[in-house]
Amino acid sequence: MPRHVAVIMDGNGRWAKAHWLPRTAGHRAGVAVLTPLLEAAGEIGVEVLTLYAFSTENWGRPETEVDSLMSLFLETAKGKVTELNERGARLRFLGRRTHLPVAVQGAIEEAEKLTKDNSHLDVYVALNYGGRAEIVDAARRMMQDGLKPEEIDETTFASYLYAPEVPEVDLVIRTSGEFRISNFLLWQIAYAEFYVTETLWPDFSPEEFCRAIVSFATRSRRRGGI
Ligand code: IPE
Ligand code: IPE
Ligand code: MG
């Protein structure tokens, strides 16, 4: 059983195109998948779920799409956080917060505060997240703290990441058939297993999540051993 599953929720745009809808409708359909997925993850016994919602590179999309995504994050925070709280999820956010709209930053803080004592499932949302940015931010903070080179090892480094308390990723799921990592959790996926599905994110179901978990269970994780 994977303790930590990380999901690259990709394919909203292609789903919208296939349905003759605007891209925003794809993002909206993508949000609807979240509740059943979190429910399934909690039931199966996954401890941590990390969801890639917006990358540091996604700012490069047309302004209208970025704006509608930010509005959707706000709307989702308003609509879903109470529900997630009732289901016992603890919400945390990963990424460079100061670059996000002030209203989104406020919603993030509120969601974290509201859910901080929950323990059924830890949900991390990667928002304005980049794996390289995270590594650079960790290095900067180590220098600010005046660490000497000989004090820095993998354990120290990991303690400067955005969420040092999280166990390393066991399984990465990517939807929409793309075999790439797109700057997601570069440090934490060192020995993660991969599951790529052709399914577009708005069509991703709890059943498919279970298939990914079953696939994970058949893997032999050698971690450099034999
Ligand atoms: C993923 O879907 C959602 C975000 C990156 C915010 P996309 O918007 O990347 O969908 P495709 O890849 O264009 O189909
Ligand atoms: C990765 O998807 C980011 C998120 C799912 C938030 P992208 O659609 O941005 O990745 P690329 O452009 O296909 O690499
Ligand atoms: Mg994409």
Side-chain angles (χ1 to χ4, degrees), residues 7-170:
V7 188
I8 304 176
M9 312 184 287
D10 196 18
N12 294 350
R14 277 161 282 175
W15 183 92
K17 198 172 176 201
H19 291 79
W20 300 89
L21 292 166
R23 290 180 60 86
T24 33
H27 296 312
R28 204 165 272 283
V31 170
V33 173
L34 292 173
T35 304
L37 172 68
L38 298 189
E39 206 170 318
E43 264 171 39
I44 293 171
V46 168
E47 291 170 39
V48 187
L49 200 63
T50 301
L51 306 169
Y52 204 5
F54 193 87
S55 74
T56 46
E57 287 70 37
N58 288 148
W59 295 108
R61 294 188 177 198
E63 203 181 323
T64 46
E65 175 155 349
V66 171
D67 287 350
S68 73
L69 279 167
M70 292 300 151
S71 308
L72 187 61
F73 296 146
L74 262 184
E75 196 187 306
T76 308
K78 287 203 184 93
K80 282 232 185 289
V81 170
T82 325
E83 179 195 314
L84 290 179
N85 185 43
E86 280 159 11
R87 290 173 188 273
R90 188 169 70 115
L91 274 167
R92 305 291 310 278
F93 291 80
L94 308 174
R96 287 184 173 165
R97 296 188 185 195
T98 47
H99 297 63
L100 291 165
V102 177
V104 174
Q105 291 185 43
I108 285 176
E109 277 162 30
E110 228 173 272
E112 289 185 336
K113 215 166 104 189
L114 181 74
T115 62
K116 69 177 177 17
D117 296 323
N118 294 339
S119 58
H120 180 56
L121 174 71
D122 280 343
V123 180
Y124 286 83
V125 181
L127 201 57
N128 190 22
Y129 176 88
R132 287 183 175 171
E134 178 174 28
I135 289 168
V136 167
D137 288 351
R140 281 186 186 157
R141 288 203 296 118
M142 282 189 289
M143 296 197 77
Q144 279 161 0
D145 285 354
L147 262 69
K148 296 190 187 71
E150 58 275 18
E151 287 177 310
I152 301 171
D153 56 15
E154 290 183 15
T155 310
T156 329
F157 204 105
S159 74
Y160 277 86
L161 296 172
Y162 294 145
E165 70 281 6
V166 176
E168 68 172 351
V169 176
D170 298 304

Side-chain angles (χ1 to χ4, degrees), residues 143-210:
M143 296 197 77
Q144 279 161 0
D145 285 354
L147 262 69
K148 296 190 187 71
E150 58 275 18
E151 287 177 310
I152 301 171
D153 56 15
E154 290 183 15
T155 310
T156 329
F157 204 105
S159 74
Y160 277 86
L161 296 172
Y162 294 145
E165 70 281 6
V166 176
E168 68 172 351
V169 176
D170 298 304
L171 174 65
V172 175
I173 298 174
R174 182 162 187 153
T175 57
S176 85
E178 239 62 81
F179 283 78
R180 56 174 171 262
I181 203 67
S182 302
N183 204 11
F184 190 38
L185 303 173
L186 299 180
W187 177 282
Q188 298 87 338
I189 58 161
Y191 271 104
E193 297 292 325
F194 271 77
Y195 182 90
V196 175
T197 170
E198 290 291 328
T199 305
L200 304 172
W201 178 252
D203 291 328
F204 191 73
S205 62
E207 291 71 32
E208 182 137 32
F209 183 73
C210 292

